[in-house]
Amino acid sequence: MISIEKVTRTYTNGDLKVEALRGVDLTIDKGEFIAIAGPSGSGKTTLLNIIGCIDHATEGDVVIHGHQISTLNDKQLTDLRLHRIGFIFQTFNLIPVLTVRENIEFPLLLMKKNKPSKQEIRKRVEELTEEVGLKEQIEQRPYELSGGQRQRVAIARALVTNPDMVLADEPTANLDSETSEQILGLMRELNKIEKTTFIFSTHDPEVLKYAKNVVKIRDGKIV
Ligand code: ADP
Ligand code: MG
């Protein structure tokens, strides 16, 4: 599903060059639950952004669902991101003025092709809200929720379009250890129920026990 070959990413700020990725090869199959583990600054976010088509490689090949990413135009990339990839962030990134329901349904409202009907949206959002354990909170706003509950909303939002893969950049970094375990457990369960591939990054060795596979990264290289 994802094939990355000899990928480098160099950031240039004036005369300063930072080699965030230095020749990464990686293949990820459908249905995996994989952790990208490494210390701060090792290149985890850069790698996830490239897999998620948010950023581009400086050199090398990135193939996602058979698409050679470097050949796609902006519209095709936007389409790929919206329909096939879900994102979860360290700081949850919910929209504060929207309710849980509205936050979760938001990606569906952006869809142009294959846009579901109002009833379908309602059904899908309610089904997911129940799966992530927030049925009672569906009409609440993010400020009324705990960190763990906010991340549950973000997980439901990432899954609402039925993406092939969900990318989660340090999803538990702002949560206490008990809540982290619950969130990873929930992601793992959804990986089974929804058959969605999950790729999450972490600098915390504690959460690696939840991964089916672990890819270790250090100084921009897989080790
Ligand atoms: P991680 O997520 O593992 O902490 P990152 O992928 O964010 O690592 O960063 C890898 C390296 O690239 C770090 O040295 C970081 O400072 C650098 N870096 C990341 N983004 C930028 C940027 N936009 N401009 C310059 N350097 C960057
Ligand atoms: Mg990071």
Side-chain angles (χ1 to χ4, degrees):
M1 187 168 82
I2 301 167
S3 161
I4 287 178
E5 261 180 60
K6 299 197 181 92
V7 161
T8 67
R9 177 67 170 102
T10 307
Y11 295 108
T12 316
N13 288 329
D15 286 345
L16 193 72
K17 277 192 172 58
V18 181
E19 292 183 318
L21 296 179
R22 302 185 299 148
V24 169
D25 297 319
L26 185 64
T27 48
I28 298 176
D29 294 327
K30 201 171 159 39
E32 283 209 47
F33 193 79
I34 194 165
I36 296 177
S40 177
S42 56
K44 303 182 296 296
T45 296
T46 305
L47 180 56
L48 281 178
N49 286 349
I50 287 174
I51 295 173
C53 308
I54 292 175
D55 192 12
H56 59 274
T58 305
E59 287 173 311
D61 285 325
V62 180
V63 179
I64 294 173
H65 304 301
H67 299 286
Q68 180 85 36
I69 294 306
S70 59
T71 66
L72 302 184
N73 63 31
D74 279 352
K75 192 186 164 302
Q76 290 168 315
L77 286 173
T78 305
D79 237 42
L80 185 67
R81 276 193 302 263
L82 180 61
H83 292 265
R84 310 198 73 166
I85 307 174
F87 296 93
I88 298 170
F89 304 92
Q90 183 177 333
T91 49
F92 323 131
N93 296 9
L94 301 178
I95 301 173
V97 295
L98 300 184
T99 63
V100 168
R101 180 196 294 282
E102 291 162 345
N103 266 284
I104 297 173
E105 73 186 7
F106 194 73
L108 295 176
L109 306 181
L110 298 176
M111 287 175 108
K112 290 194 182 81
K113 63 177 191 198
N114 310 328
K115 187 169 177 165
S117 69
K118 265 194 170 151
Q119 287 99 316
E120 284 166 338
I121 291 180
R122 205 179 166 84
K123 183 162 172 285
R124 176 71 178 143
V125 170
E126 288 179 2
E127 169 190 288
L128 266 170
T129 309
E130 194 159 352
E131 276 174 23
V132 300
L134 289 178
K135 204 175 164 200
E136 308 289 312
Q137 288 79 16
I138 192 161
E139 306 303 343
Q140 294 186 4
R141 292 197 164 69
Y143 70 86
E144 299 172 289
L145 305 176
S146 68
Q149 288 174 326
R150 289 180 201 183
Q151 198 57 307
R152 287 169 189 270
V153 179
I155 291 170
R157 179 183 57 187
L159 286 166
V160 77
T161 57
N162 284 315
D164 304 289
M165 64 168 150
V166 169
L167 305 177
D169 194 9
E170 307 226 26
T172 60
N174 282 327
L175 303 174
D176 61 66
S177 58
E178 196 185 324
T179 311
S180 296
E181 286 197 9
Q182 290 166 0
I183 291 296
L184 263 308
L186 172 66
M187 281 166 47
R188 187 66 205 260
E189 208 178 296
L190 292 166
N191 163 254
K192 278 190 206 137
I193 303 174
E194 304 263 340
K195 310 266 180 277
T196 314
T197 307
F198 275 82
I199 306 169
F200 70 97
S201 73
T202 183
H203 66 266
D204 179 5
E206 266 300 293
V207 303
L208 295 182
K209 56 177 185 263
Y210 291 92
K212 279 195 223 166
N213 287 303
V214 177
V215 171
K216 290 199 172 144
I217 185 167
R218 197 167 279 265
D219 297 329
K221 281 191 165 171
I222 307 283
V223 292

